[in-house]
Structure formats: structure tokens, C-alpha cells
Amino acid sequence: MKSYQILPHVADIRLKVEADNLPELFMAAIEGMMTIIKESKAEEQEREKRIIEVESADATSLLIDFMNDILYQSHTNKEIYTEVNFLEFSEKALKAEIYGIKVDDFDEDIKAVTYHEVEIKKNEKGNFETVIVFDI
Amino acid sequence: MQINKDNLIKINDYLWEIPKSFRSDMRVPARVYATEKMLEEILTDRSLNQLINVATLPGIQKYALAMPDIHEGYGFPIGGVAAMDFETGVISPGGIGYDINCGVRLLKSNLSFKDVEPYLESLARELYSEIPSGVGRGGKLRLNDDDFDEVLKRGAKWMINKEFGKENDAYFLESFGCLENADPDKVSSHAKSRGKDQLGTMGAGNHFVEVDRVHKIFDEKIAEIFGLKKDQIVVLIHTGSRGFGHQVATDYIRIMMQAMPKYGIILPDRELACVPFSSPEGKAYFDAMAAAANFAWANRQMITHEVRKSWKNILGDAGGELSVVYDVAHNIAKIEEYFMEGKYKKVIMHRKGATRAFGPGQEEIIKEYRSAGQPVLIPGSMGTASFVLVGTKDSMKESFGSSCHGAGRRMSRHEAKREVRGNELREEMEREGIHVKVGSTPGLAEEAPLAYKDVREVVDVVEGAGIAKKVAELKPIAVIKG
């Protein structure tokens, strides 16, 4: 189970993500972020595979660092990533294959994924959740 | 802890203080410039909680300050000003923002409204086609790695040497368009590849190029010093360091997050990530930030070149020259000195959504403007009004030589889009005689004036508080954005 919800913020955009395990939480976050930067995408075109490796101090930082790395890939390759496949995953490090499709432009310019008040926690349903603020 | 009006002490009609006793981790009080009415609105979001968090940072001097255009950000509020002790204080990328040296440049022409009016539609169209805007659109300039590093080292000056400007353009920019400590080796390859094709591009969001008409002069003497008069046509450019600066900030926040435990720094919010200014990480960030600031000055220089080209294409020789009035940074850290506790003290000034506003007599101000003070350029919300202010002696004493930076958001983009339709807004602006050229119509709605505070109220507060003085009001006649 995984879900994301885009929430408003005075100046920026927030994304609430929830999942019953950490890899799924990370996937929901990427899915949400990609929807913000490009809502409609042509699925049928050929996809480019890229490998991402990230190491961080804890699971929360790992999530934000992973998202920022994918955002960087999107901006420089002009790609939207439609699939994430974890090759390795722990609370402090991950290795993933990501699959991207080319786009001409983006709907929204996310400058960065911030660490503002982000903290992965278990909610009352026993799922992992957090809210992420983007600088737009 | 929720803040309400009773927690604030009124210092005067335009200034309020949250005392140090409000929260045990505050090192200094927090002050906000606002009228009582504006304060009530500020209290509806969490910007003052964020300002209190700033007041907890190691080495902060006197008070954490918020300008009247304050709104909730991430880490620091937008509109935040903080001075850190040079020897014992920290530097925090979150206190500068992701868009390093986002700023404003004002160009003046010799023409008046009636000279330009018949050509406005074609001028607006030409500016839109000449200046790349929007998300993901690159510029025309392609530089090799060595030249790109030179841009990072020399900022606007490099562009001017390559004939993308007039010789004296750099003289009229804050810091002459170049921070000398910039070090390209402190910048990641990621930042360089993200910024490589973005010189001379405007970007999206609230960035714009506007053709304005000087609507009103408040101070004839200072307006004359700045070369401004009623009905004159001027051009206002608002943009920053694009993906390059965003990546520099992202990289260093990550580095600092990892380094903080080593320095024993514990913070109420991760986004405030900081390290001692004197540490290797602190110095590296300061030099990388300077490279991003230089990128932004080079970017506004390239856009100036594109504006001049469009101007000449449409108006020909009769258009005359466009010369630089000034260029200010509103997201930056700088080393400055202020008189505190009986002596001048060096500080690391953090301004995030705040403008330097040096008063008359300051050495850093060029001799042509020194008797007046530094020009302070305040872009208003789209289609409303922008202002030219000037710094005062009081800003040096009261607000670390700082003032506001714009209107300040009050409504989310989402809410703005629900309230206003982009095409209706465009029609309304066109009815008012504003020529609108924009890439994204929903993007237009996000920037609707109702999503912002009234810029007039904001500048009236800084003037009332004595930290800046109104010189001229500008009214847009053409708006170009992504």
C-alpha cells in the first residue's frame, strides 16, 4: 500500500506520503514529485534506465537526498521517471534503477526538495508517513 | 508553541518584538516590521515560528529580523534577516535560499511613455521571443568548462568583456556584479551541469521582465541622482541563479546536515542546517555561494543584453541607450560591519527575501549615489506597481542595512488558481493597458495580485519605520514571463 497527496503551502507545495514500508514510501514520494513537475506524460515511448546510489545519515535524510538526486536527473536529462526499482535498500543507503521518458518542458519548476520539518514517522495505522515541502 | 498578538511587544507603529523569554532556546529577540493590521495576517501562518527558530542559531547578533513582506518559507521565513558573529557564528544556506542571488535590475531609457506607446505590443513580443523563459528552456549561450568557470569567478564582468554589455554596466551593480571569493572548485559537477545552458534565461514562477512607466516621483532630488523622472520608460528584470544556484544550495545543505553533529549543533528544524563560518564546510559553502551569486549577476547581464537587442530591433536608433540604474541581490550572505556594543563588529549577514539598503555616506555605495544612499528596487506583484526606494542612516542602525524585497505572498499557488483564471487575469491587465506575454496561462493565475500583499502597504511600513525612503513608483506597461 502506498499513497501521496499534494497539499498547498503559502509559497510552495507540500506533498504528504504514506506507505506500509519504507521502499514504497520512497516510491510514492517520487511519483508525487513527478506528477508535480509534469502532470501528463506519454507512457508509450522508450524509457531510459539510470542508476542512482545514495548514502545518508538516517532514513529521513535518505528520502530527501534521493528525491533531490532524482530531481537533478530530471532537470539535466529533461526526463520524467515513471518507475523506480530498488536494487539495494537500507535505512541509510540505497541503490536504485530509475526509468525515464523524455519531455520537452516541465509544468512546474521545483527548485529543490527541502528538509523543512520532514520526519518519517509511524502513524496510528502503523504506516510510515511524512510531509515534504518543495521550494517552487 | 502558538504565537498570538499578546506575545509581541509593540516598539512603535511599525515594529514589534518577540522577547527572548518567549522560548528557552532563543539567543536573541525576534523583531518584525509591520502595521498592526499586517501583523494580524502574519500571525495566521507560521512565519513567526520560523523567525523564532532563526533566533536560536549560534552566533546571532542583536535580533532576528523580519521585513513586512514576510511569509512562511522553509527553514528561515522569506523576508528574514540575520547577522551572525564573524568569529563564532554560523553560516546557513537556508538563510540565503535555494535561488542564490535572486535579485532585481533596473534599466533606464531616455524615452517617455508617448515615445514608446505605439511600439509597445511589438516590443513585448520581441522581448518574449528574445529572452528564453519557462521551465526547462535553455539559453543561447553555450560555454566550454573553462569559460563557465570564468563566469563563476567574474560574474557580470565576464559577460561585459565578451561584449554582452557596456563597459560601465558593472559599476552600477551591487558588489560590481562580482563576489571576489567565488571558487568554482567548491561547486559540484552536478551544479555546473544543471546551470550550463541557463545563462540568459528568466525561468518561471515570479520571475519576469517588465517594461514600466515612472508613475510618480516621491523625492525629486534623489530621483534626479538616480536619473529617474515622471513618465520615463524603464525596464525591470527579476531573476536569479537558476538551476545552478538551486543545486549549490541543495549540495551544501546535504554536506552541512552530515557535518553538524561534529560541531555539536542541534536545531529545531533540519532546513536550518548550518556550520561555523570558520569551518572548512562553512568556508567552502561561502565560496560556492559566491560562485552562484556571480552566475546570477552574469544571468541578469545576459538578459540585459537580450533586452537591449530587442529594444534596438523595435525602436532602432531612436530608442537610444538603456543604462543600468542599479542591481540588487535579495537572497545572499555577505560580510559586513555594524556598530554594536560600542564598536564596529564584523558579521555574516544573511538576507533571504530581503534587500541590502545602505544609507547615505556608506563607502560601498558608488560616488554618484553616495550622498543619496543605495537604490533599493522593490518589484511588486504582477501588473500592480514596483518601487524604487533608497537606504537610510536608520537602516544602518536598526535593520543591519536591510529592507523589504517585494510584495510578499499571502495565498498559495493552488488557492490563487482556484480564485482566478489566467485568461481572465490577462484580459483584465490588457484592459488596463498592460501588454502581457506569458508562456503558461495557469502560471499567470498563480502570480495574480490577490495572491500577494499590497506592495504599497509593504513599502509604507519600511518608510514609516525609517529603514528606507520612497523615491519613485513604477507602473507596468508590458509584462514578460515564463
Side-chain angles (χ1 to χ4, degrees):
Chain A
M1 169 273 161
K2 69 176 194 311
S3 70
Y4 70 83
Q5 196 188 349
I6 297 163
L7 309 169
H9 175 279
V10 177
D12 300 294
I13 292 181
R14 294 182 303 155
L15 180 74
K16 187 179 176 187
V17 287
E18 186 179 347
D20 50 19
N21 62 61
L22 281 178
E24 295 251 315
L25 187 81
F26 280 45
M27 284 184 203
I30 300 303
E31 217 174 287
M33 180 168 77
M34 290 296 129
T35 304
I36 293 168
I37 62 176
K38 189 81 180 170
E39 207 169 346
S40 58
K41 26 204 171 258
E43 299 280 355
E44 62 276 10
Q45 54 168 292
E46 210 168 294
R47 299 189 305 171
E48 187 84 35
K49 181 172 101 174
R50 297 182 190 276
I51 303 278
I52 294 210
E53 283 184 79
V54 193
E55 258 182 74
S56 304
D58 56 36
T60 298
S61 297
L62 187 68
L63 171 65
I64 302 303
D65 295 345
F66 180 53
M67 293 178 77
N68 270 316
D69 282 355
I70 291 195
L71 184 68
Y72 162 77
Q73 295 291 340
S74 271
H75 278 297
T76 46
N77 302 321
K78 308 260 183 308
E79 286 172 357
I80 292 294
Y81 299 98
T82 52
E83 193 187 331
V84 176
N85 183 15
F86 290 110
L87 304 172
E88 288 161 32
F89 192 100
S90 73
E91 285 203 0
K92 293 184 178 183
L94 63 82
K95 187 173 178 182
E97 291 172 343
I98 55 170
Y99 293 88
I101 51 172
K102 290 276 175 206
V103 291
D104 294 330
D105 58 6
F106 300 103
D107 300 336
E108 198 72 75
D109 190 9
I110 295 185
K111 292 174 184 165
V113 187
T114 79
Y115 293 91
H116 182 52
E117 294 182 340
V118 63
E119 202 69 73
I120 300 174
K121 281 186 183 149
K122 279 220 169 161
N123 63 18
E124 69 282 359
K125 287 180 274 175
N127 290 334
F128 291 103
E129 74 168 35
T130 191
V131 175
I132 300 146
V133 177
F134 299 101
D135 182 14
I136 298 285
Chain B
M1 203 185 323
Q2 194 46 48
I3 307 162
N4 59 53
K5 225 164 89 187
D6 299 336
N7 301 124
L8 287 114
I9 300 160
K10 183 175 177 176
I11 293 178
N12 59 48
D13 286 346
Y14 303 103
L15 184 59
W16 306 77
E17 181 172 286
I18 303 163
K20 207 175 122 178
S21 56
F22 179 75
R23 221 172 75 184
S24 63
D25 55 350
M26 288 171 77
R27 292 171 196 258
V28 291
R31 285 185 168 192
V32 54
Y33 287 97
T35 58
E36 190 159 1
K37 182 178 145 235
M38 289 170 97
L39 182 69
E40 277 162 17
E41 186 158 3
I42 291 167
L43 284 163
T44 61
D45 72 19
R46 295 173 56 248
S47 41
L48 292 184
N49 297 74
Q50 296 181 346
L51 188 68
I52 289 168
N53 289 344
V54 174
T56 70
L57 294 177
I60 188 164
Q61 302 293 298
K62 268 171 104 172
Y63 28 63
L65 275 180
M67 292 298 148
D69 45 341
I70 184 178
H71 63 78
E72 188 176 333
Y74 36 86
F76 276 57
I78 312 297
V81 174
M84 310 298 181
D85 183 271
F86 182 76
E87 271 138 36
T88 62
V90 293
I91 186 161
S92 171
I96 290 124
Y98 289 92
D99 196 359
I100 296 166
N101 190 7
C102 184
V104 188
R105 182 180 293 201
L106 182 65
L107 309 175
K108 63 183 175 196
S109 77
N110 301 317
L111 303 184
S112 67
F113 179 64
K114 65 174 183 354
D115 303 322
V116 177
E117 196 184 9
Y119 306 99
L120 262 179
E121 178 58 24
S122 40
L123 180 63
R125 212 177 295 138
E126 186 75 3
L127 286 166
Y128 183 74
S129 76
E130 201 59 47
I131 309 164
S133 62
V135 196
R137 244 184 93 189
K140 292 165 203 142
L141 200 62
R142 292 289 184 275
L143 301 178
N144 63 37
D145 292 353
D146 290 344
D147 281 346
F148 192 75
D149 280 359
E150 285 303 308
V151 170
L152 302 184
K153 276 190 224 157
R154 300 179 55 218
K157 291 176 183 169
W158 190 89
M159 303 305 265
I160 293 164
N161 273 349
K162 293 289 168 189
E163 296 179 354
F164 297 120
K166 296 188 193 314
E167 213 183 320
N168 69 348
D169 283 351
Y171 181 71
F172 290 95
L173 314 178
E174 180 176 328
S175 301
F176 305 108
C178 172
L179 296 181
E180 301 285 343
N181 63 301
D183 183 353
D185 293 340
K186 300 292 189 296
V187 173
S188 72
S189 58
H190 274 191
K192 289 179 187 176
S193 57
R194 197 165 156 189
K196 195 134 251 184
D197 68 344
Q198 294 188 332
L199 279 169
T201 68
M202 202 193 302
N206 61 359
H207 294 160
F208 63 75
V209 170
E210 251 181 30
V211 182
D212 291 335
R213 168 188 189 170
V214 178
H215 173 68
K216 197 172 171 185
I217 298 287
F218 299 96
D219 188 317
E220 289 286 349
K221 209 175 126 215
I222 296 179
E224 202 187 323
I225 293 173
F226 294 165
L228 299 173
K229 54 178 188 276
K230 192 170 157 50
D231 271 335
Q232 181 182 11
I233 299 300
V234 295
V235 179
L236 197 61
I237 300 165
H238 177 208
T239 189
S241 52
R242 312 282 289 105
F244 180 81
H246 311 161
Q247 194 64 40
V248 168
T250 302
D251 292 342
Y252 276 94
I253 291 175
R254 190 186 289 195
I255 291 168
M256 289 188 187
M257 290 271 292
Q258 284 164 3
M260 275 196 308
K262 184 165 80 182
Y263 300 109
I265 299 171
I266 296 159
L267 298 171
D269 178 6
R270 288 174 191 245
E271 191 63 20
L272 294 169
C274 58
V275 292
F277 181 69
S278 57
S279 68
E281 296 87 354
K283 284 202 172 79
Y285 169 68
F286 191 57
D287 295 348
M289 182 218 71
N294 290 350
F295 181 97
W297 273 308
N299 190 30
R300 290 198 286 278
Q301 184 62 41
M302 191 64 198
I303 291 178
T304 299
H305 172 75
E306 291 160 350
V307 168
R308 282 173 172 151
K309 199 171 153 202
S310 311
W311 187 264
K312 194 160 174 37
N313 286 349
I314 299 302
L315 296 160
D317 290 339
E321 303 257 306
L322 285 175
S323 49
V324 180
V325 177
Y326 206 60
D327 178 308
V328 293
H330 53 223
N331 284 357
I332 205 160
K334 286 183 145 183
I335 309 298
E336 292 170 5
E337 275 187 19
Y338 292 93
F339 197 74
M340 281 180 275
E341 298 150 13
K343 59 175 194 287
Y344 279 94
K345 217 173 156 182
K346 238 191 211 184
V347 293
I348 311 131
M349 274 316 305
H350 290 64
R351 296 191 180 95
K352 184 190 197 178
T355 314
R356 193 183 77 172
F358 279 179
Q362 286 299 116
E363 235 175 77
E364 292 86 344
I365 307 174
I366 52 172
K367 62 177 190 305
E368 288 81 351
Y369 296 163
R370 198 171 294 153
S371 66
Q374 178 211 308
V376 179
L377 311 173
I378 308 299
S381 53
M382 186 181 60
T384 59
S386 296
F387 285 84
V388 178
L389 313 180
V390 66
T392 63
K393 286 217 154 77
D394 280 350
S395 73
M396 305 312 291
K397 283 187 267 176
E398 301 291 328
S399 62
F400 292 108
S402 307
S403 184
C404 59
H405 88 305
R409 252 196 125 86
R410 53 180 285 271
M411 192 186 274
S412 73
R413 286 158 211 269
H414 180 78
E415 206 178 334
K417 277 199 275 201
R418 215 171 40 210
E419 294 281 327
V420 197
R421 295 182 66 89
N423 49 4
E424 282 167 17
L425 183 63
R426 181 206 300 260
E427 282 163 22
E428 198 184 310
M429 283 163 68
E430 278 166 356
R431 270 198 302 276
E432 283 171 28
I434 305 170
H435 296 256
V436 183
K437 296 286 168 270
V438 53
S440 153
T441 308
L444 198 66
E446 291 184 356
E447 295 304 315
L450 93 165
Y452 285 84
K453 300 183 198 195
D454 182 347
V455 68
R456 288 184 183 84
E457 279 184 38
V458 170
V459 297
D460 283 346
V461 168
V462 294
E463 179 164 86
I467 57 173
K469 206 161 146 306
K470 286 193 276 190
V471 177
E473 180 178 338
L474 316 175
K475 285 276 216 179
I477 49 175
V479 174
I480 291 91
K481 64 190 295 303

